[in-house]
Amino acid sequence: MTTDTLTIPTLIAQHAEDLAFVTEAETATTLEEFTSQLHTAEDTLVSVGIYMAEGLSDAAALLDQANTGTDGEKHLFLTRAAAQLAHLDDAIDEYRDMV
Protein backbone atom coordinates (compact mmCIF):
# COMPACT_ATOMS: atom_id res chain seq x y z
CA MET A 1 0.00 0.00 0.00
CA THR A 2 1.49 3.32 -1.01
CA THR A 3 1.37 6.40 1.14
CA ASP A 4 -1.08 7.95 -1.35
CA THR A 5 -3.63 5.24 -0.59
CA LEU A 6 -2.93 4.80 3.11
CA THR A 7 -6.08 6.21 4.66
CA ILE A 8 -8.49 5.16 7.36
CA PRO A 9 -11.15 4.18 4.80
CA THR A 10 -8.67 2.05 2.82
CA LEU A 11 -7.52 0.22 5.95
CA ILE A 12 -11.14 -0.40 6.92
CA ALA A 13 -11.97 -1.65 3.43
CA GLN A 14 -8.92 -3.90 3.41
CA HIS A 15 -9.69 -5.65 6.72
CA ALA A 16 -13.34 -5.14 7.68
CA GLU A 17 -14.89 -8.19 6.04
CA ASP A 18 -12.44 -10.67 7.55
CA LEU A 19 -12.59 -8.89 10.89
CA ALA A 20 -16.38 -9.26 10.88
CA PHE A 21 -15.95 -13.01 10.52
CA VAL A 22 -13.98 -13.18 13.76
CA THR A 23 -16.23 -10.82 15.68
CA GLU A 24 -19.45 -12.31 14.30
CA ALA A 25 -20.69 -8.79 13.59
CA GLU A 26 -21.77 -6.81 10.57
CA THR A 27 -18.91 -5.57 8.43
CA ALA A 28 -17.60 -2.33 9.90
CA THR A 29 -18.10 0.77 7.80
CA THR A 30 -17.09 3.44 10.30
CA LEU A 31 -13.94 4.00 12.30
CA GLU A 32 -15.85 3.51 15.55
CA GLU A 33 -17.20 0.12 14.42
CA PHE A 34 -13.81 -0.93 13.07
CA THR A 35 -11.87 -0.06 16.21
CA SER A 36 -14.46 -1.77 18.38
CA GLN A 37 -14.10 -4.92 16.28
CA LEU A 38 -10.30 -4.74 16.49
CA HIS A 39 -10.55 -4.90 20.29
CA THR A 40 -12.99 -7.80 20.14
CA ALA A 41 -10.93 -9.68 17.56
CA GLU A 42 -7.76 -9.33 19.61
CA ASP A 43 -9.51 -10.83 22.64
CA THR A 44 -11.01 -13.65 20.56
CA LEU A 45 -7.87 -14.55 18.63
CA VAL A 46 -5.51 -14.39 21.59
CA SER A 47 -7.91 -16.49 23.68
CA VAL A 48 -7.52 -19.35 21.18
CA GLY A 49 -3.74 -19.02 21.05
CA ILE A 50 -3.29 -16.82 17.98
CA TYR A 51 -0.79 -14.45 19.52
CA MET A 52 0.08 -12.67 16.27
CA ALA A 53 -3.20 -10.80 16.88
CA GLU A 54 -1.69 -9.04 19.88
CA GLY A 55 -1.46 -5.40 18.98
CA LEU A 56 -4.87 -5.02 17.34
CA SER A 57 -5.96 -2.79 20.22
CA ASP A 58 -2.82 -0.74 19.62
CA ALA A 59 -3.81 -0.42 15.96
CA ALA A 60 -7.25 0.80 17.05
CA ALA A 61 -5.68 3.48 19.25
CA LEU A 62 -3.36 4.55 16.43
CA LEU A 63 -6.30 4.85 14.04
CA ASP A 64 -8.14 7.02 16.56
CA GLN A 65 -5.03 9.21 16.85
CA ALA A 66 -4.75 9.43 13.06
CA ASN A 67 -8.37 10.50 12.87
CA THR A 68 -7.82 13.43 15.22
CA GLY A 69 -4.18 14.25 14.54
CA THR A 70 -2.61 16.96 12.44
CA ASP A 71 -1.76 16.20 8.82
CA GLY A 72 1.82 15.39 9.76
CA GLU A 73 0.73 13.11 12.57
CA LYS A 74 -1.89 11.33 10.46
CA HIS A 75 0.69 9.76 8.16
CA LEU A 76 2.79 8.57 11.11
CA PHE A 77 -0.19 7.08 12.95
CA LEU A 78 -1.59 5.46 9.79
CA THR A 79 1.77 3.92 8.96
CA ARG A 80 2.10 2.52 12.47
CA ALA A 81 -1.51 1.22 12.43
CA ALA A 82 -0.93 -0.47 9.07
CA ALA A 83 2.16 -2.17 10.50
CA GLN A 84 0.10 -3.45 13.45
CA LEU A 85 -2.50 -4.79 11.00
CA ALA A 86 0.06 -6.42 8.69
CA HIS A 87 -0.48 -9.92 10.08
CA LEU A 88 -4.23 -9.66 10.60
CA ASP A 89 -5.04 -11.67 7.46
CA ASP A 90 -2.71 -14.48 8.57
CA ALA A 91 -4.23 -14.50 12.05
CA ILE A 92 -7.74 -14.68 10.64
CA ASP A 93 -6.76 -17.45 8.21
CA GLU A 94 -5.43 -19.42 11.16
CA TYR A 95 -8.68 -18.79 13.03
CA ARG A 96 -10.74 -19.93 10.02
CA ASP A 97 -8.79 -23.20 10.03
CA MET A 98 -9.71 -23.71 13.70
CA VAL A 99 -13.45 -23.14 13.45
Side-chain angles (χ1 to χ4, degrees):
M1 183 174 293
T2 66
T3 57
D4 293 338
T5 60
L6 187 58
T7 64
I8 290 171
T10 58
L11 286 173
I12 292 172
Q14 182 180 5
H15 298 289
E17 190 172 314
D18 287 333
L19 196 60
F21 172 78
V22 174
T23 62
E24 299 179 0
E26 294 293 319
T27 302
T29 58
T30 66
L31 178 60
E32 182 178 82
E33 293 168 346
F34 188 68
T35 57
S36 175
Q37 288 184 19
L38 286 170
H39 291 288
T40 302
E42 179 176 353
D43 292 343
T44 300
L45 294 170
V46 170
S47 74
V48 296
I50 303 174
Y51 297 105
M52 70 178 89
E54 290 180 330
L56 295 181
S57 292
D58 294 338
L62 290 164
L63 289 169
D64 284 335
Q65 289 175 314
N67 191 47
T68 59
T70 65
D71 286 342
E73 292 172 332
K74 284 181 185 195
H75 175 70
L76 172 67
F77 292 134
L78 284 172
T79 301
R80 291 178 63 198
Q84 291 289 334
L85 296 172
H87 299 290
L88 180 58
D89 291 341
D90 292 335
I92 292 173
D93 287 342
E94 187 175 338
Y95 183 74
R96 285 182 199 274
D97 291 341
M98 294 175 131
V99 294

